[in-house]
Amino acid sequence: MQIPSSIPELRLALRNRGRVVLVPTMGNLHAGHIALMKEARVHGDTVVATIFVNRLQFGPSDDFDRYPRTFTEDCERLSGAGVDLLLAPTETELYPEPQTYQVDPPAIQNQLDGEFRPGHFRGVATVVLKLFNIVQPQAALFGKKDYQQLLVLRNMTRQLALPIDVIGGETVRADDGLALSSRNSYLSAAERAEAPRLQRILRRIAAAVLAGASDFTQLERQASEELDQHGWQTDYVAIRLQADLQVPSHPAAGPLVVLAASRLGSARLIDNVEINPKKGPLTGGN
Ligand code: PAF
């Protein structure tokens, strides 16, 4: 794996590389990231990973300073996964001047996660557009665990007519069902044992909806209360349309997804389960 030491060096290294597939990350890589790298290989000739903890997408009380940085281990994992090139720019290289031109996503940026993390999706869209411009890939992969992020980036790419296929990678889970996340490392042993409750509740809601439950507000409220009774502080549990993450006008309005964000100790965990009648909850790899 090549690690170009600057953006110009990366651009040189990318000449005549065929179809380039980009996998942007913030590092502290786990099996979910590695699955994205392996899938990237299927979609192109050259796989480029980036590691950059993007200050722009963190709020003032978010975990930017303590976000785990594990560059040496990350390099070993990326190289083992067959990644061709890694760009890991410094903040001054990616933001040599204040990034005053930013991508301002539409109303979706203030809903669900955006309601609790103001400015987050503006920061994500801005850095991803910048990485797209630097790498100029033909395809890019993002994990479905960040379902709203994937939607925002897919819509941005389409509306700005970027010639890039945005591909969603399935969520990878631990044996007990917990979605892998760098933020799981903030959990104590007791919290780690409690954490799989989040996906169990989401699966249960998905099963109830498939079985015909139609009072979505009640399902959401009960789930949120159950989490909070077990020591969580829930931001939201929401049943939404997969297509645009809006509230469905009626239970059969289209394919649904149930999403949640909740805090356990000092970790804010997010997860989602697509509700696909033919496949059933979770068989899509959520
Ligand atoms: O999902 C992430 O790790 C980040 O939001 C991303 C897409 C790398 C942008 O910083």
Side-chain angles (χ1 to χ4, degrees), residues 20-21 25 37 42-43 49 54 76 80 83 88 111 172 174 216 225 227 238 253 255:
V20 173
V21 187
T25 80
M37 304 298 161
V42 175
H43 292 279
N54 174 38
E76 277 164 25
V83 168
Q111 299 163 19
V172 177
F216 291 174
E225 283 170 6
L227 284 165

Side-chain angles (χ1 to χ4, degrees), residues 13 22 51 104 112 114 129 146 149 189 199 217 220 238:
L22 172 66
I51 294 180
D104 200 23
L112 298 169
L129 180 61
D146 296 292
Q149 167 173 283
Q199 59 81 39
T217 312
E220 293 165 354

Side-chain angles (χ1 to χ4, degrees), residues 176 178 184-198 200 227 230-232 263-267 269:
D176 59 10
L178 178 67
N184 293 349
S185 65
Y186 302 155
L187 298 168
S188 68
E191 289 160 356
R192 174 62 190 81
E194 167 62 22
R197 185 183 306 279
L198 185 62
R200 281 202 305 272
L227 284 165
H230 287 88
W232 300 68
R263 284 167 208 278
L264 186 58
S266 67
L269 303 183

Side-chain angles (χ1 to χ4, degrees), residues 24-26 52 54 57 124 127-128 142 146 149 153:
T25 80
M26 298 205 299
F52 183 68
N54 174 38
Q57 70 190 70
V124 169
V127 79
V128 169
F142 301 91
D146 296 292
Q149 167 173 283
L153 295 175

Side-chain angles (χ1 to χ4, degrees), residues 23-27 33 36 50-55 57-58 67 95 117 120-121 123-125 127-128 131 141-143 146 149 153 182-183:
V23 189
T25 80
M26 298 205 299
H33 294 110
L36 288 180
T50 61
I51 294 180
F52 183 68
V53 186
N54 174 38
R55 192 186 289 273
Q57 70 190 70
F58 288 80
Y67 197 85
Y95 297 131
R117 303 189 69 189
H120 171 68
F121 289 110
V124 169
V127 79
V128 169
L131 293 171
L141 271 101
F142 301 91
D146 296 292
Q149 167 173 283
L153 295 175
S182 302
R183 291 189 168 98

Side-chain angles (χ1 to χ4, degrees), residues 24 57 103 105-106 108 120-132 140-143 146-160 162 164-167:
Q57 70 190 70
V103 181
I108 183 72
H120 171 68
F121 289 110
R122 189 183 318 120
V124 169
T126 301
V127 79
V128 169
L129 180 61
K130 197 155 185 176
L131 293 171
F132 280 178
L141 271 101
F142 301 91
D146 296 292
Y147 209 85
Q148 188 175 4
Q149 167 173 283
L150 177 61
L151 183 96
V152 166
L153 295 175
R154 191 170 264 152
N155 291 352
M156 172 187 83
T157 304
R158 191 188 61 248
Q159 282 205 6
L160 296 180
L162 306 174
I164 300 169
D165 294 329
V166 172
I167 300 162

